[in-house]
Amino acid sequence: MEESMTILEAIKRDFGCGQVDIRTYSPLTLAYIGDAIYDLVIRTIVVERGNRSADKLHKKTVTYVNARVQARMIEALENDLTEEETAVYHRGRNAKSYSSAKNASVIEYRKATGLEALCGYLYLQGQQERLLYLIRTAIEKINMTI
């Protein structure tokens, strides 16, 4: 029987990606991959909760995948983060970004970028369980249901 592997491990194996010290990645690089991972987690939850039209799936997803909600989520999580996670979040939040959110304040956008950097960091560290725990805890703390 084949041993189970994460999608990250399979990508590294199948595409010949080398070992990299992710602590050397810029916070915006972490946020770049973290944005996709966070989006994938939320989309997966939405799809698993029921087969609907793509339009309805999208509308449900964007209620969670936006800077305003992500800022609320990281605020709710701040006391649950380790020192290392807090440092990654702060690096992401404080990074100089050349874009901004359409429907959020600069502060909310920066906090959301910090959350995305943390998601990217945890994903690239292979800490999917911790990543999912934090997302689930944040959703529960801000009293949202998917």
Side-chain angles (χ1 to χ4, degrees):
M1 179 182 274
E2 188 176 316
E3 187 175 317
S4 171
M5 71 172 44
T6 68
I7 191 167
L8 177 62
E9 292 167 333
I11 290 168
K12 286 182 176 186
R13 180 199 64 206
D14 293 353
F15 293 91
C17 301
Q19 292 295 333
V20 178
D21 182 357
I22 67 165
R23 293 173 297 178
T24 63
Y25 285 168
S26 79
L28 294 179
T29 298
L30 294 174
Y32 174 77
I33 190 74
D35 174 55
I37 293 303
Y38 175 81
D39 188 63
L40 178 63
V41 169
I42 298 300
R43 284 178 184 234
T44 301
I45 296 166
V46 169
V47 166
E48 289 294 319
R49 296 280 164 97
N51 187 17
R52 301 173 240 185
S53 70
D55 181 58
K56 287 182 181 177
L57 292 170
H58 175 72
K59 286 178 180 175
K60 186 68 172 174
T61 299
V62 297
T63 62
Y64 294 91
V65 182
N66 68 72
R68 187 165 282 137
V69 168
Q70 289 171 287
R72 287 179 53 211
M73 290 175 74
I74 195 64
E75 288 167 358
L77 286 174
E78 285 186 283
N79 293 329
D80 297 308
L81 302 179
T82 66
E83 273 186 52
E84 182 178 1
E85 291 166 348
T86 299
V88 171
Y89 162 67
H90 285 152
R91 283 182 59 220
R93 183 195 64 195
N94 297 334
K96 298 276 189 233
S97 177
Y98 298 100
S99 59
S100 61
K102 298 174 200 128
N103 298 309
S105 71
V106 172
I107 292 170
E108 289 169 327
Y109 183 74
R110 295 184 106 182
K111 287 181 178 184
T113 301
L115 175 66
E116 291 169 349
L118 177 58
C119 290
Y121 179 80
L122 291 171
Y123 169 72
L124 292 173
Q125 286 282 68
Q127 295 184 42
Q128 285 81 8
E129 285 185 34
R130 177 67 176 164
L131 170 65
L132 295 175
Y133 169 80
L134 290 174
I135 292 172
R136 183 178 60 250
T137 300
I139 288 170
E140 290 168 359
K141 284 187 173 194
I142 64 172
N143 295 315
M144 292 188 80
T145 56
I146 297 182

